[in-house]
Amino acid sequence: MSYFSELGLAEPILRALDAKGYDDPTPIQRQAIPALLNGRDLLGIAQTGTGKTAAFALPSLHRLAQNPTGRINRACRMLVLSPTRELAAQIADNMRGYARFLDLSVQCVFGGVPVGKQIADLARGTDIMVATPGRLIDLVEQKALKLDHVEIFVLDEADQMMDLGFIKPLTRIARMLPKERQSLFFSATMPAEIAKLGSQFITDPVKVEVAPQATTAERVDQFVTFVGQREKQALLTLTLQKGLASGEIESCLVFTRTKHGADKVVRHLVAAGVEAAAIHGNKSQAQRTRALDGFRAGRIPVLVATDIAARGIDVPGVSAVFNFELPNVPEQYVHRIGRTARAGLSGLAISFCAPDERTYLRDIQRLTGVEPGSFPLPKDFVALAERLPTPSRHLAGAEKSDEQREGRGGNSNRRQRGKNRKPRPHPDAQVHARGNSSKPRGGSGGRPNGNPRNGRPNRAAAAR
Ligand code: AMP
């Protein structure tokens, strides 16, 4: 029997964990589960990837199952709020897995899909509701759901909720919850304003904190290429073509700063024969689901995402993360690279740093304490880049004007564009990012070609 049984969890839950192949609780699970089984409120400082979902799901399922009350029409006994649809769906999936041998139902609701079916499904009530705040309020306003039977309330990714401007809906929801309840509040970071938000929900909480952010960063092999903004696309395409063909990269996430940027990267990759899909807030729910399912199933090896869409997405086996643009908030970098190196594995992160992103890079290094190794431009970069195809469809609307702002024509003007747009490596790239890795990676000229921690060939080296 696993250590989970010593925590006092009910047998059907232990069976579900066994089926999942979990042997031991993660640190946050060890810390949180006993306190939550005792009915305490909890303040958790933890990122996704730490086993946070099971940390709140397992004791909650235990408590709900120990005290069966039957379902109440248009009500739920446990409410989990999540900032994004993807994360909500993921939490609901996990909870269904942990509850598979229990008679507890899980329903997930979020915006961007018709509300009618959600209302119909809620008519007979559900035990556990996982929701994004906006759609939850819609349902309450339409009298499809009441919150006065909530026994356990979980607010996940509170800092992201704040970033997304959910503060008002959250305050409204807080007022609708019964006073007598158990509350759990999770955030990756805990600045004063988040702590203040938390104090609205939790009373005398047990505080649990795991893996300071820099720790995740240390498990990831990190590299940087200094490159002009205009050369980034060619660098990404060439790196992925090579890495995917050799099998050294199996699946990767590419982060862009904007939704428009994500679409553009996808079009260039697809034109060059690299299967890719974008995931961001402007995509319909069906598109987002299709992209994520394709990525999870391995049909689409490259997912291009903005930070918000990617937050919390748990896809095992992401072999690399590319920062097409560096984030201006250094914590975001840690979230991004945490998409690889899941569940104790190591991972690879490559950042493309344009001259105007150097201050971001400095802030990131200050936060993580890690100085990334150099990832030089491929040999013959200019010649190879010139041969890359451009996306074949006409660019529309805002996008076209953006292209034109950058001094490029539309697709009909391809020959002309080829002339205008010779990739010029940024001068820094020639000196291989100063060859300044704090952890020497072997090989010549600062090239990373072996992973010092696990002895495996370095994916970065093969990807070049
Ligand atoms: P989370 O932080 O909840 O997103 O979990 C990160 C990943 O770790 C998910 O893929 C979980 O399925 C997995 N996981 C959670 N708890 C355990 C455990 N005790 N042992 C092994 N894997 C786990």
Side-chain angles (χ1 to χ4, degrees):
M1 209 21 105
S2 73
Y3 184 83
F4 278 111
S5 57
E6 292 170 30
L7 294 177
L9 293 166
E11 190 279 332
I13 299 176
L14 296 178
R15 231 184 317 148
L17 293 173
D18 219 34
K20 281 223 164 220
Y22 295 0
D23 293 327
D24 284 317
T26 64
I28 191 169
Q29 291 162 6
R30 260 170 222 263
Q31 292 176 52
I33 292 174
L36 293 174
L37 286 173
N38 280 332
R40 294 284 303 270
D41 280 6
L42 183 126
L43 178 70
I45 306 178
Q47 302 172 230
T48 48
T50 55
K52 169 170 66 114
T53 313
F56 69 71
L58 304 177
S60 303
L61 292 172
H62 177 100
R63 281 165 60 84
L64 295 175
Q66 297 295 97
N67 176 27
T69 58
R71 269 158 230 157
I72 301 163
N73 291 348
R74 293 183 295 284
C76 63
R77 299 180 63 196
M78 176 175 181
L79 173 65
V80 182
L81 285 184
S82 151
T84 66
R85 314 162 198 187
E86 284 76 17
L87 193 52
Q90 196 169 286
I91 292 170
D93 269 0
N94 281 341
M95 291 201 76
R96 285 189 192 105
Y98 302 137
R100 61 192 278 202
F101 301 117
L102 295 168
D103 182 25
L104 292 172
S105 60
V106 180
Q107 192 177 337
C108 183
V109 297
F110 42 71
V113 293
V115 75
K117 180 162 186 316
Q118 294 177 350
I119 292 177
D121 290 345
L122 260 177
R124 309 216 17 229
T126 181
D127 292 298
I128 296 141
M129 163 71 89
V130 186
T132 51
R135 178 54 60 98
L136 185 86
I137 287 191
D138 267 8
L139 289 168
V140 171
E141 281 175 350
Q142 297 195 41
K143 306 228 179 310
L145 176 71
K146 46 189 186 297
L147 299 181
D148 44 5
H149 293 277
V150 172
E151 297 164 44
I152 305 172
F153 171 68
V154 181
L155 199 156
D156 199 15
E157 303 270 355
D159 50 353
Q160 181 82 348
M161 292 273 195
M162 278 265 200
D163 286 352
L164 291 172
F166 281 137
I167 193 90
K168 273 197 181 141
L170 289 178
T171 309
R172 256 186 90 185
I173 291 167
R175 282 200 296 265
M176 291 187 256
L177 294 168
K179 291 243 154 19
E180 192 68 34
R181 60 166 202 262
Q182 183 179 28
S183 298
L184 288 64
F185 185 91
F186 289 94
S187 190
T189 54
M190 196 60 66
E193 53 180 347
I194 306 281
K196 192 169 152 229
L197 175 72
S199 65
Q200 288 184 39
F201 293 94
I202 41 180
T203 317
D204 184 25
V206 175
K207 197 169 161 194
V208 168
E209 182 167 0
V210 290
Q213 297 196 339
T215 311
T216 317
E218 280 160 14
R219 291 210 317 269
V220 180
D221 288 329
Q222 297 167 62
F223 299 97
V224 63
T225 304
F226 293 97
V227 62
Q229 186 64 31
R230 283 178 162 213
E231 284 71 48
K232 286 184 175 182
Q233 181 62 57
L235 178 62
L236 180 72
T237 305
L238 293 169
T239 306
L240 288 179
Q241 279 179 334
K242 194 162 177 185
L244 291 167
S246 68
E248 295 296 332
I249 293 178
E250 282 169 22
S251 67
C252 74
L253 274 169
V254 178
F255 284 95
T256 60
R257 209 175 293 141
T258 65
K259 302 168 194 172
H260 166 69
D263 286 337
K264 202 158 141 190
V265 166
V266 166
R267 279 198 306 279
H268 280 267
L269 289 176
V270 170
V274 177
E275 277 290 316
I279 179 163
H280 55 66
N282 282 0
K283 296 278 178 196
S284 70
Q285 188 52 39
Q287 286 171 319
R288 290 163 72 145
T289 305
R290 208 166 36 242
L292 205 51
D293 287 353
F295 186 62
R296 282 209 170 100
R299 289 190 302 276
I300 300 171
V302 182
L303 194 64
V304 186
T306 54
D307 284 308
I308 283 171
R311 181 74 174 254
I313 288 175
D314 176 36
V315 181
V318 172
S319 48
V321 167
F322 286 85
N323 291 304
F324 192 82
E325 275 123 9
L326 284 171
N328 52 1
V329 179
E331 282 81 7
Q332 204 64 52
Y333 174 86
V334 182
H335 285 304
R336 289 181 178 189
I337 69 170
R339 305 301 97 211
T340 179
R342 306 290 273 178
L345 299 172
S346 64
L348 169 73
I350 300 176
S351 299
F352 296 170
C353 180
D356 62 353
E357 294 174 304
R358 293 233 177 188
T359 42
Y360 302 155
L361 186 66
R362 259 198 305 277
D363 291 347
I364 289 164
Q365 286 178 10
R366 209 169 293 139
L367 175 75
T368 61
V370 175
E371 198 171 340
S374 68
F375 183 80
L377 291 173
K379 254 183 157 180
D380 306 325
F381 174 65
V382 174
L384 291 171
E386 270 188 338
R387 269 183 250 141
L388 288 173
T390 44
S392 60
R393 77 171 174 77
H394 284 275
L395 299 169
E399 200 168 26
K400 193 177 212 167
S401 57
D402 194 23
E403 292 273 304
Q404 284 161 346
R405 254 202 309 282
E406 291 175 29
R408 282 172 272 157
N411 190 49
S412 55
N413 202 9
R414 192 181 296 178
R415 202 178 305 140
Q416 185 59 33
R417 178 165 54 198
K419 263 192 218 152
N420 288 346
R421 246 202 116 239
K422 281 214 162 104
R424 279 162 316 189
H426 186 270
D428 284 346
Q430 308 287 21
V431 293
H432 296 326
R434 296 172 285 144
N436 58 359
S437 171
S438 60
K439 295 183 199 163
R441 314 239 167 216
S444 58
R447 282 175 165 227
N449 64 1
N451 185 328
R453 266 184 290 112
N454 55 21
R456 278 186 278 129
N458 196 316
R459 287 172 293 215
R464 268 194 312 271

